[in-house]
Amino acid sequence: MNMDQLLYITETARTGSLTKASESCNVTLSAVSQAITSLENELGFPIFKRSRAGAVPTEDGRRILSKAYKVLEALDELKQEAEVQPEQLTGVIRIATIPLPTLIYTDAIIDFKKQFPGVTLELCEMSTNDIIQEMNERRFDVGLIIFEEELRHQHKSLLFGKLIQQEMVVGVSKRSPLALQGSITPEEILKHQIVLYKDDLLLKFYEDLQQNYGKGQLLFSTNQTSVISKLVRENVAITIGFDLSFGKHAHMSSSDIVVLPLAIQTSVSSYVGWVQPNRRNIPKQVSAFLNRLANQYRFHERNESL
């Protein structure tokens, strides 16, 4: 048993797919499959029930996964402790960010401040495109964005990385007949009034829908998540976004909003990623905060799945 195996089984459980786990870990599908099979042989029982639909933990697998999560979290804490001592970190971290679940932010900040009391965090919400511009001007230390691989090629003076995977979904009012459905097709989306968060990736996705399925009814796009939430809750419009934005503790979270997956052959996924100015030495404060943000996301995601 080794740490790679523990990482692969937790990522497979999180994504429900060996393929997605391999992408998240930046290794081949074969490496993930062989590592999990080897661990299952060592333990003497299957960790996952595999099928064409994906990978689902067995009862024994869930028991092993609960232990694996604790081991990996302890390892992360050990690495952070070894890399830098809290009293050595001072100064200000300026963070530009797309809207993310409030509680994940809050818990990450509280955790970070307990460990690094000498560091001040400054957060400012804006779209991915605006964040990229701010990074080019070096007005912020790090940006949290909707990650696209082509950004690396368009902005070679910046550093990019993946942080949290997310899936494209549709938010509708619980009063809408759509709320009774298990999913929603592109054709159904385009029949309804749409309000979008003003981000280039979401706007491009909507434009692609129109090119492939016909004319839509876009009311407007805005950076005001409260406006989008109100229009959806009151059944004036529906919205398209990533599942992370509709989580239990997210800006768009509401018992009056029902989240529907897209009824298309392949899921539309993306990542919340990070972007930084291309410096030789990235501030350790930045790396420490990103680690805590990712850890808090994994913690809340597991709790919401229970």
Side-chain angles (χ1 to χ4, degrees):
M1 183 181 299
N2 57 54
M3 290 299 174
D4 285 343
Q5 290 172 320
L6 299 184
L7 176 61
Y8 297 161
I9 65 172
T10 56
E11 282 300 299
T12 298
R14 182 180 72 83
T15 62
S17 163
L18 271 70
T19 299
K20 291 182 178 180
S22 68
E23 294 173 351
S24 176
C25 297
N26 292 316
V27 296
T28 64
L29 173 59
S30 176
V32 171
S33 180
Q34 290 178 15
I36 293 177
T37 298
S38 175
L39 181 57
E40 289 175 330
N41 290 337
E42 179 182 345
L43 295 172
F45 54 78
I47 298 173
F48 296 100
K49 181 179 180 181
R50 307 187 199 184
S51 69
R52 292 183 178 180
V56 179
T58 62
E59 184 175 349
D60 287 329
R62 285 193 292 270
R63 177 170 53 84
I64 294 300
L65 283 163
S66 67
K67 302 291 185 181
Y69 288 130
K70 293 178 182 179
V71 171
L72 291 175
E73 287 176 1
L75 179 62
D76 284 341
E77 292 176 1
L78 181 61
K79 287 180 178 178
Q80 292 164 11
E81 185 69 22
E83 287 175 357
V84 60
Q85 293 298 318
E87 62 271 14
Q88 295 175 338
L89 288 181
T90 60
V92 178
I93 302 178
R94 296 164 299 167
I95 303 170
T97 176
I98 58 174
L100 287 175
T102 304
L103 188 56
I104 293 176
Y105 265 146
T106 304
D107 286 353
I109 291 171
I110 292 173
D111 183 37
F112 182 88
K113 288 295 291 182
K114 285 180 180 178
Q115 294 294 317
F116 310 106
V119 179
T120 300
L121 299 175
E122 295 180 358
L123 280 75
C124 183
E125 284 191 359
M126 59 186 73
S127 69
T128 294
N129 188 51
D130 289 337
I131 292 172
I132 295 296
Q133 293 181 19
E134 294 293 332
M135 286 297 121
N136 282 320
E137 297 296 329
R138 299 202 172 193
R139 295 193 180 101
F140 290 85
D141 296 299
V142 63
L144 299 174
I145 61 172
I146 297 178
F147 176 86
E148 291 183 277
E149 193 63 42
E150 64 185 64
L151 289 174
R152 296 184 193 270
H153 306 292
Q154 295 174 352
H155 304 278
K156 294 184 178 180
S157 63
L158 302 177
L159 295 176
F160 294 88
K162 298 176 182 178
L163 192 63
I164 302 169
Q165 188 173 16
Q166 53 184 358
E167 302 289 335
M168 193 81 79
V169 295
V170 175
V172 306
S173 170
K174 72 174 183 180
R175 292 183 286 168
S176 169
L178 295 172
L180 302 177
Q181 301 180 180
S183 61
I184 185 168
T185 65
E187 292 86 354
E188 289 174 316
I189 293 173
L190 297 173
K191 291 178 182 177
H192 292 78
Q193 301 270 28
I194 297 281
V195 58
L196 290 177
Y197 183 76
K198 193 173 183 180
D199 191 278
D200 288 350
L201 185 57
L202 293 177
L203 292 170
K204 182 180 183 300
F205 175 78
Y206 187 67
E207 290 174 0
D208 290 343
L209 278 186
Q210 293 186 99
Q211 289 180 1
N212 294 322
Y213 299 97
K215 182 67 175 177
Q217 305 176 56
L218 180 63
L219 284 178
F220 57 85
S221 60
T222 176
N223 291 127
Q224 299 297 314
T225 54
S226 60
V227 173
I228 298 174
S229 180
K230 180 177 178 62
L231 290 173
V232 174
R233 284 188 283 107
E234 295 184 359
N235 202 23
V236 175
I238 65 176
T239 189
I240 303 171
F242 287 101
D243 55 358
L244 191 59
S245 300
F246 294 91
K248 184 176 178 181
H249 308 295
H251 289 253
M252 288 291 293
S253 174
S254 170
S255 60
D256 294 325
I257 296 178
V258 175
V259 178
L260 300 175
L262 297 173
I264 54 180
Q265 290 185 342
T266 57
S267 63
V268 182
S269 63
S270 178
Y271 284 85
V272 172
W274 54 264
V275 55
Q276 295 173 333
N278 192 352
R279 304 165 177 159
R280 287 189 175 181
N281 297 310
I282 300 300
K284 291 182 178 179
Q285 299 97 315
V286 172
S287 296
F289 178 74
L290 291 179
N291 287 337
R292 277 159 174 74
L293 186 66
N295 288 341
Q296 286 299 330
Y297 169 74
R298 289 193 290 267
F299 171 79
H300 287 292
E301 184 184 55
R302 289 200 300 274
N303 282 354
E304 289 184 3
S305 67
L306 296 178

